Amino acid sequence: NFLILSFYPLTGTVSDVAMQGESLLVIADGQLQAFNVKGNWISPIALNQTVSGKASIAYNNAEEALDIQPFVNDFVVLRKESAVFIDNISTSEMLVEVATQIALHDPVALVQSADRLFVSTESGQLLSFDSEGQVLRHGTFTVADRLLAYAPYLVAINNHGIQLWDVTNPYTVSLV
């Protein structure tokens, strides 16, 4: 037996969720939604963005969201053509850092390992970036539909199998 303590209706198909502290990000039909989870209560919170240092405005969800990862005390969202950092600034607002977005070509999956975020692409490229936006290109591997961190490795999964990639040194990633 269980009790439903809180309920918030969502429309669309949920493809990913990530939680950091009391903040919850959800991707439903490619659109980001932000929530605060406090005790036994779920409530929607503002998801805003800043552009060129101007006051925050509502995030427009123009680019489809593919994946979310908690990162340090915030979040990183992989979108159709980029990745953005989302600041978990309060219990009533999250802020998308549009000015520091990282341009990516055909990204598929995202995972964090140590202090880097790794991205697989539709062309089989493996890329990584850090919190400063420095992107490294690691070469061509199999196309990974899903990436999992299993330190010091990445587990790359697709419909054809599973591979292990050694990311101990992000400058020389290799197949195990």
Side-chain angles (χ1 to χ4, degrees), residues 35-115:
F35 299 89
N36 180 260
V37 179
K38 182 110 175 150
N40 61 358
W41 191 252
I42 300 170
S43 55
I45 62 174
L47 184 59
N48 293 322
Q49 67 185 22
T50 57
V51 179
S52 302
K54 295 181 181 173
S56 63
I57 58 173
Y59 179 68
N60 65 15
N61 266 314
E63 194 176 334
E64 179 184 356
L66 304 173
D67 201 344
I68 311 167
Q69 292 290 318
F71 186 65
V72 188
N73 294 318
D74 300 310
F75 297 94
V76 174
V77 175
L78 183 66
R79 303 185 306 177
K80 199 71 172 166
E81 297 175 2
S82 64
V84 291
F85 294 96
I86 297 185
D87 290 339
N88 192 7
I89 61 174
S90 74
T91 58
S92 62
E93 179 184 23
M94 287 189 210
L95 192 61
V96 179
E97 298 178 32
V98 177
T100 57
Q101 69 183 342
I102 297 156
L104 299 167
H105 183 69
D106 295 328
V108 176
L110 172 74
V111 71
Q112 178 186 353
S113 181
D115 61 346

Side-chain angles (χ1 to χ4, degrees), residues 118 126 138 141 154 165-175:
F118 289 84
L126 180 64
H138 303 287
F141 295 84
L154 294 185
W165 300 335
D166 185 346
V167 295
T168 305
N169 179 346
Y171 295 99
T172 57
V173 173
S174 60
L175 183 64

